[in-house]
Amino acid sequence: MSTTTASKVHNFSAGPGILPLEVLQQASEACINFDGLNLSLLEISHRSKNYERVMLEARNTVKELFEVGDDYEVLYLGGGASLQFAMIPYNLMKEGGSAAYVNTGVWATKAIKEAKIIGNTKVIASSEDKKFTYVPKEYVIPSDADYLHITSNNTIYGTQMKHFPKCDIPLVCDMSSDIFSRKVNAKDFTLIYAGAQKNMGPAGSTMVMVKKDALGKTGRKMLSMLDYQVHIKGDSMYNTPPVFPIYVTLLTMQWLKKNGGIAWIEKLNQQKADAIYNEIDRNSLFYGTVDKADRSNMNVCFLLKKPELENEFDKFCKEANMSGLRGHRDVGGFRASLYNALPLESVHVLVEVMKEFEKKFA
Ligand SMILES: *Cc1c(COP(=O)(O)O)cnc(C)c1O
């Protein structure tokens, strides 16, 4: 079996990202024999008692981790976070209304593009002037907009909102790449969504948590599959849901809970981020790419002062059994993604390799 080698590769992939080994093992077992049924999870009805229990728990566990009550509903939908770029304005922007967006990167830009097709979309702040290397902080939120859309963590450029805007209009957040990585006051948000494959589970399902009283107000005649209320009424099974990704997402949330929940992971994630940023700042060969105050604890972007050494550093990384460190093509250099399932030990290995590299090439 390959399970022992899997744990030896230090996986810094930006997404789909690392999952806990024990979750992968439980998921493998469920592919063959789910819940002791001697049937695969992949070959039973989503309406079976056993699967209905999975869906209910997967929805409830999100509410538990976010500490919200029954005024919120949780859905698991297909189409990725990218479909939510369209569904959010479609469900929350009134006919003749407007929405406000903060543009902090590639994903926010894509969200804005879709919203503009639905209605009047105002970009009230943007860090595009400096290639998205910081998070805009001073901006006026229009009180007549139907909602404000923000992106909590900029996966590609490596910035993260350390504080969320105080706002009187509904706050909507794309948390795809830092959901459940730190404590947030979820009750301040009307809608939180996340493509699961960064920090929550595997690709194929997208989590949407929405406050019920925000829905049904657009005046728009809604297409069923794009209507949150239709999915809510169907208990997130209006059509066949992505059964397996949802199950693995549930296992990943259970792993988080079992180990100490958000308080535990926030502390661990801070230790991981501190270790790598300290080394980037200390090491004479590397530098970070974003404003220090806005550095992401999830996606750490860094460059070599001598770019001609990139292939050499790649070799060092491969020899140390590290994977997924190449930066996004828009930024270049390197990106270490420190998602929840990445152990502190993997960061220590990266830091050691950077030190060795400095000894050889500085
Ligand atoms: C990856 C990512 C997306 C896109 O997710 P898909 O599920 O591929 O559509 C959106 N927003 C953020 C912040 C991301 O990191």
Side-chain angles (χ1 to χ4, degrees), residues 14-16 79-85 106-108 110-111 149 151-156 174-178 193-198 203-206 299 335 339:
S82 299
L83 181 59
Q84 295 313 309
F85 298 162
V106 170
W107 299 115
K110 289 188 169 169
H149 181 283
T151 311
S152 55
N153 186 74
N154 180 356
T155 323
I156 290 176
D174 178 356
M175 282 195 194
S176 293
S177 52
D178 68 351
Y193 67 107
Q197 71 274 17
K198 307 287 169 45
S205 80
T206 304
N299 310 99
R335 171 173 52 173
Y339 297 131

Side-chain angles (χ1 to χ4, degrees), residues 52-254:
E52 277 187 347
R53 212 178 311 125
V54 168
M55 179 56 102
L56 187 66
E57 247 188 285
R59 296 171 78 202
N60 284 340
T61 308
V62 170
K63 293 211 274 188
E64 195 184 318
L65 287 168
F66 272 137
E67 299 178 16
V68 300
D70 289 337
D71 45 340
Y72 286 85
E73 287 281 358
V74 174
L75 300 172
Y76 288 93
L77 304 174
S82 299
L83 181 59
Q84 295 313 309
F85 298 162
M87 280 180 78
I88 285 160
Y90 187 72
N91 282 268
L92 297 182
M93 210 195 301
K94 297 191 179 81
E95 291 274 28
S98 66
Y101 279 70
V102 177
N103 189 1
T104 48
V106 170
W107 299 115
T109 303
K110 289 188 169 169
I112 290 162
K113 182 178 170 219
E114 301 300 289
K116 280 186 170 163
I117 294 168
I118 307 283
N120 182 4
T121 301
K122 300 165 188 168
V123 180
I124 60 164
S126 171
S127 50
E128 198 176 3
D129 57 338
K130 291 187 182 160
K131 267 206 117 188
F132 300 119
T133 53
Y134 68 102
V135 175
K137 288 168 199 79
E138 302 291 321
Y139 42 87
V140 178
I141 301 162
S143 59
D144 61 342
D146 294 321
Y147 63 89
L148 171 66
H149 181 283
I150 58 174
T151 311
S152 55
N153 186 74
N154 180 356
T155 323
I156 290 176
Y157 291 90
T159 61
Q160 187 174 34
M161 282 188 176
K162 304 295 172 180
H163 306 280
F164 297 108
K166 293 251 169 304
C167 91
D168 298 326
I169 59 174
L171 185 58
V172 172
C173 188
D174 178 356
M175 282 195 194
S176 293
S177 52
D178 68 351
I179 187 165
F180 301 144
S181 70
R182 56 175 170 167
K183 176 141 180 59
V184 300
N185 196 357
K187 291 181 183 123
D188 291 344
F189 298 84
T190 291
L191 190 150
I192 290 171
Y193 67 107
Q197 71 274 17
K198 307 287 169 45
N199 203 33
M200 196 183 175
S205 80
T206 304
M207 192 289 297
V208 177
M209 185 176 87
V210 61
K211 220 170 170 178
K212 278 185 274 193
D213 67 8
L215 300 174
K217 296 176 176 172
T218 62
R220 191 172 283 123
K221 201 159 193 271
M222 305 287 283
L223 292 161
S224 307
M225 273 300 283
L226 299 183
D227 186 345
Y228 291 134
Q229 287 188 311
V230 167
H231 290 287
I232 290 170
K233 225 183 196 168
D235 291 324
S236 203
M237 295 207 269
Y238 172 71
N239 71 321
T240 316
V243 289
F244 192 63
I246 294 167
Y247 178 65
V248 182
T249 300
L250 171 60
L251 293 176
T252 309
M253 291 189 291
Q254 287 171 335

